[in-house]
Structure formats: C-alpha cells, structure tokens
Amino acid sequence: MYAQLRETAAELAGVLWREHTVYRERGGGVVIRGEHVRRWISLAPTGGKDRALLRAGRILDGGTTAPARTEVVVDLTAPVAELATVCRRMLAEVAASAGPAPGPDAGPSRAGRPGRGRAGRGARKQPKTPREPKTPREPKAPKARSRHTGAGSWVVLVLVGIAVAAWAYGVFGGPAF
C-alpha cells in the first residue's frame, strides 16, 4: 500500500506544484509539502483496498504544520487529474479558512510593519497581527489548609483505639479477679 501511496503522491505533487517535498509520515502515509504556497496534503491508508484518506492543511510560520482543515476518502485508481481536482478544491477550502497566503518573498512579520500598504487619506487600518500563543500556565497550588487535625480524623482515631482495646481485651482475657 505504501508503494502505491508514494507513487500516487509523487505524480500528484508534480501536477499540483513545481516546488514540493514528498516524504513518509509515521503512520505509513505520505505527505506533500508546498512550502511556497504554505500548504500540505497527505495521503494515508484507510484499510480499504485502493482507497486513501486525503487531508489538507496549512504550514505555519517556522515550518510546522497545522492540523488538517479538511479531509476526504479518495479512490487511488482514479486518474491523477481527478485527484488533483479534489486536492485543488481542498486547498482552496484551506486557503479560504486561513486567509490569504503570503507571497514567497513575504516574511512572517512583514504584514504588521508600519509604512506598508496604502497611506494618506482613505487608508484602512491594518488588522492586528495574530499574537504568539500564550504559554500554558502552571496550575495554581491549592490553598493552604490548616495543619490541625480535623473532627473526622479524631473520630477515626477514637474508633481505631476502641478496636485495639477490644482486641487486647479478647486476647489477654480481661482483668484477673
């Protein structure tokens, strides 16, 4: 199955993008990365013969991949042109949900720099650039409780003491008259 996925992915990558990288992922599938368009496509086995799960997503700043935005099961026996049509539709959905992709020469911080875009009268305010995700905070420590023994603990201690006294009375036979 991997050989079929790899062959299909290589053909598909050539049809979709001039610049691409094809590699195997841990789960046995194949990933096609288009760095210049900041998108990825993966083909993964579904367990059925000649069928694959086709997923598409974005490539984030720094080169990491975002989770898949869309996925569909495709027939690998279909012509590559049909698979490319499905991929283009999925990539369009990913692009629409993520906003416009920056050009190949645009750096990740270029959009928010002053002096870019229209200037003067009628200039629109630039949207804020997304902030870095906050680092997860450590959970707050529970409030300090009193170190005094609570009433429930005293009840347990008294009952244990009574049980030990009853056992000692039964073993040693009680008082001798």
Side-chain angles (χ1 to χ4, degrees), residues 110-127:
R110 186 172 271 195
R113 278 200 251 162
R116 300 283 181 195
R118 291 193 292 171
R121 61 194 161 125
R124 292 185 187 173
K125 195 172 188 178
Q126 292 291 328

Side-chain angles (χ1 to χ4, degrees), residues 1-60:
M1 183 68 174
Y2 173 71
Q4 184 181 12
L5 284 176
R6 176 77 179 188
E7 181 181 315
T8 303
E11 290 178 35
L12 193 57
V15 171
L16 291 174
W17 300 312
R18 274 185 254 149
E19 299 174 29
H20 59 270
T21 305
V22 179
Y23 63 92
R24 183 178 182 182
E25 61 183 349
R26 280 182 264 161
V30 180
V31 177
I32 307 166
R33 286 176 68 109
E35 296 288 340
H36 63 292
V37 292
R38 304 182 56 80
R39 304 285 180 257
W40 61 265
I41 296 173
S42 79
L43 291 161
T46 61
K49 186 175 181 179
D50 295 332
R51 299 187 66 71
L53 178 65
L54 184 68
R55 298 181 305 154
R58 298 183 305 139
I59 298 175
L60 303 174

Side-chain angles (χ1 to χ4, degrees), residues 35-172:
E35 296 288 340
H36 63 292
V37 292
R38 304 182 56 80
R39 304 285 180 257
W40 61 265
I41 296 173
S42 79
L43 291 161
T46 61
K49 186 175 181 179
D50 295 332
R51 299 187 66 71
L53 178 65
L54 184 68
R55 298 181 305 154
R58 298 183 305 139
I59 298 175
L60 303 174
D61 292 340
T64 60
T65 57
R69 295 279 185 153
T70 181
E71 54 186 42
V72 67
V73 176
V74 294
D75 185 14
L76 293 177
T77 59
V80 175
E82 287 182 25
L83 293 175
T85 303
V86 172
C87 288
R88 286 185 184 111
R89 181 176 40 86
M90 292 174 67
L91 291 168
E93 290 175 19
V94 169
S97 66
D105 61 336
S109 63
R110 186 172 271 195
R113 278 200 251 162
R116 300 283 181 195
R118 291 193 292 171
R121 61 194 161 125
R124 292 185 187 173
K125 195 172 188 178
Q126 292 291 328
K128 291 185 178 181
T129 57
R131 293 184 179 180
E132 296 271 335
K134 292 183 179 179
T135 56
R137 294 183 181 176
E138 298 205 14
K140 292 182 180 178
K143 291 184 179 179
R145 301 189 82 195
S146 171
R147 294 189 181 258
H148 299 290
T149 307
S153 297
W154 282 112
V155 170
V156 170
L157 287 173
V158 169
L159 291 176
V160 168
I162 291 172
V164 169
W167 171 78
Y169 183 79
V171 170
F172 298 113

